[in-house]
Amino acid sequence: MRTYLYAAATSEEAEFGSGHPHAVIFSEYDALPQIGHACGHNLIAIVGVCSFILTARKIKEKRIIGKVTLLGSPAEEGGGGKVIMINKGAIEDVDFAVMAHPAPFNSMIPRVLAMQSLTATFKGQSCHATQPWNGKNALDAAVLAYTNCNALRHAMKPTWRMHGIISKGGEKPNIVPSEAQLEFLVRTPLSSELKVLLGKIENCFKAAASSLECEVEISYCSAYQNLISNTTLANIFRKYFSNSGEDIIDEKANPFFVGSTDFGDVTHHVPGIHPCFSIRTDSIPHTEAFAQVSHTKEAFKLAINTSVCLFKTIIEVLSDPSVLKSVKDDFDAQIKLED
């Protein structure tokens, strides 16, 4: 076990075996402010550790040629821990990667969106509010920009998403604000679509600033690519997960999205899967109710069951060169579709 790796202070790495194929299992463990493990990363950590131990034991027992690595990746909630680790070479020698995420449902190929976070800072000129003509109201510019974005929704594809807040709006009501700020998250099914939608949003911001003689500075923060679920890996996991007695939703009949993750970036570099496993709740992640369920004994048992299915999936790929070839062929084909 090694810690403080790949420029991420709380990253961890454990490995067993040698050579290829080389499988990586990702764990997460960061919690959310105020509401704790409302995204179930405590369960993701359990799934990762347990599937790693099971895989390592099987490699030793059956003398399987290959290696398994457990990567503990911090800061998934906005910090892009896996992106940092990728840029530092964490998966350069990897054949495929897996992890699993708790959810209200079981899905083998969840639709996970590409995401870009951005901040727009509007700058005007302050003055006393009784003489607003002597100033330039940055808050008005921010409000107008927000309204422009709402109007833009009519021209957006049904699969595109944007959500934002006014994070700064002034100090006192009797002072015309000289600075205001918007924070936005923008999501699309494909990473290539982000540039298109971001261009439209930039126009909304710039038009609002111009109309009120303000300036706007747009800064881009963390960005995640969309998830590419490897077909072969997903089908193998589906087989073991279904055999364990779990019901799986029909993704084609339920085409909803489940947010964004930095594991999406992983799947643009190596084949991977990120299935969702039900923890028997109707609550969605990032809520207090989901946080409460994630700490139950039943959720723990469901995480263990998922780790067993991941372990079986990994061993099947490590043990059969034809399966690994199918995994890589799927990856090459799916990457081409992203362009």
Side-chain angles (χ1 to χ4, degrees):
M1 172 70 75
R2 296 185 291 275
T3 58
Y4 299 98
L5 300 165
Y6 309 113
T10 55
S11 61
E12 298 179 344
E13 181 181 56
E15 62 180 35
F16 186 86
S18 61
H20 289 272
H22 182 189
V24 160
I25 306 164
F26 275 93
S27 272
E28 297 171 358
Y29 29 75
D30 53 324
L32 289 161
Q34 282 86 48
I35 54 178
H37 279 299
C39 203
H41 291 193
N42 56 320
L43 299 174
I44 296 175
I46 291 170
V47 170
V49 171
C50 289
S51 55
F52 170 77
I53 292 172
L54 290 170
T55 303
R57 285 179 177 175
K58 184 62 70 172
I59 289 174
K60 181 178 181 180
E61 176 189 338
K62 297 296 183 180
R63 298 183 179 180
I64 297 171
I65 298 174
K67 181 166 69 172
V68 61
T69 297
L70 173 67
L71 285 178
S73 54
E76 189 275 340
E77 296 289 355
K82 295 181 191 64
V83 178
I84 295 171
M85 296 172 78
I86 290 169
N87 292 337
K88 293 294 182 178
I91 59 174
E92 283 183 356
D93 193 39
V94 171
D95 291 296
F96 64 98
V98 302
M99 66 171 290
H101 199 296
F105 50 80
N106 293 315
S107 176
M108 304 300 95
I109 48 172
R111 302 182 70 184
V112 179
L113 300 166
M115 182 273 289
Q116 174 73 64
S117 62
L118 65 153
T119 300
T121 303
F122 296 85
K123 294 185 177 181
Q125 181 179 323
S126 64
C127 67
H128 197 285
T130 60
Q131 298 178 345
W133 53 88
N134 289 325
K136 298 176 182 178
N137 197 316
L139 176 59
D140 282 350
V143 171
L144 183 57
Y146 190 96
T147 303
N148 286 349
C149 288
N150 276 336
L152 176 63
R153 295 182 192 278
H154 295 286
M156 285 169 47
K157 291 183 179 180
T159 54
W160 291 358
R161 299 288 185 272
M162 66 173 169
H163 15 275
I165 60 169
I166 299 175
S167 53
K168 184 177 182 180
E171 303 300 329
K172 296 287 184 179
N174 62 348
I175 303 173
V176 169
S178 62
E179 184 170 307
Q181 197 169 75
L182 298 178
E183 292 182 15
F184 265 66
L185 290 178
V186 182
R187 307 179 199 255
T188 57
L190 297 176
S191 298
S192 58
E193 292 181 295
L194 269 179
K195 294 179 181 179
V196 178
L197 182 53
L198 287 169
K200 295 177 183 293
I201 292 172
E202 283 185 12
N203 289 338
C204 289
F205 292 165
K206 292 175 181 178
S210 176
S211 67
L212 289 168
E213 299 182 321
C214 292
E215 297 179 354
V216 60
E217 296 177 359
I218 303 171
S219 59
Y220 293 95
C221 307
S222 58
Y224 297 162
Q225 292 184 290
N226 58 292
L227 177 71
I228 304 173
S229 296
N230 185 268
T231 304
T232 298
L233 287 175
N235 287 339
I236 296 170
F237 183 81
R238 183 189 301 272
K239 173 181 65 178
Y240 292 118
F241 199 70
S242 180
N243 289 342
S244 74
E246 290 289 318
D247 294 326
I248 302 168
I249 67 167
D250 182 352
E251 286 90 355
K252 293 181 179 179
N254 297 276
F256 48 81
F257 301 104
V258 293
S260 307
T261 173
D262 55 6
F263 190 79
D265 291 73
V266 174
T267 64
H268 282 252
H269 288 80
V270 298
I273 52 170
H274 181 285
C276 293
F277 63 97
S278 170
I279 56 172
R280 307 296 190 266
T281 179
D282 294 327
S283 302
I284 61 173
H286 289 217
T287 62
E288 291 182 359
F290 195 88
Q292 292 174 359
V293 177
S294 73
H295 289 282
T296 63
K297 289 183 178 179
E298 184 174 22
F300 178 85
K301 291 178 180 178
L302 292 164
I304 296 297
N305 178 67
T306 302
S307 69
V308 171
C309 297
L310 274 184
F311 142 69
K312 291 179 178 178
T313 300
I314 295 168
I315 291 299
E316 182 167 333
V317 180
L318 295 183
S319 303
D320 190 337
S322 67
V323 176
L324 178 61
K325 182 180 183 304
S326 179
V327 168
K328 293 190 173 184
D329 287 346
D330 284 345
F331 176 74
D332 291 339
Q334 289 174 287
I335 283 292
K336 288 180 181 179
L337 295 175
E338 297 292 312
D339 298 332

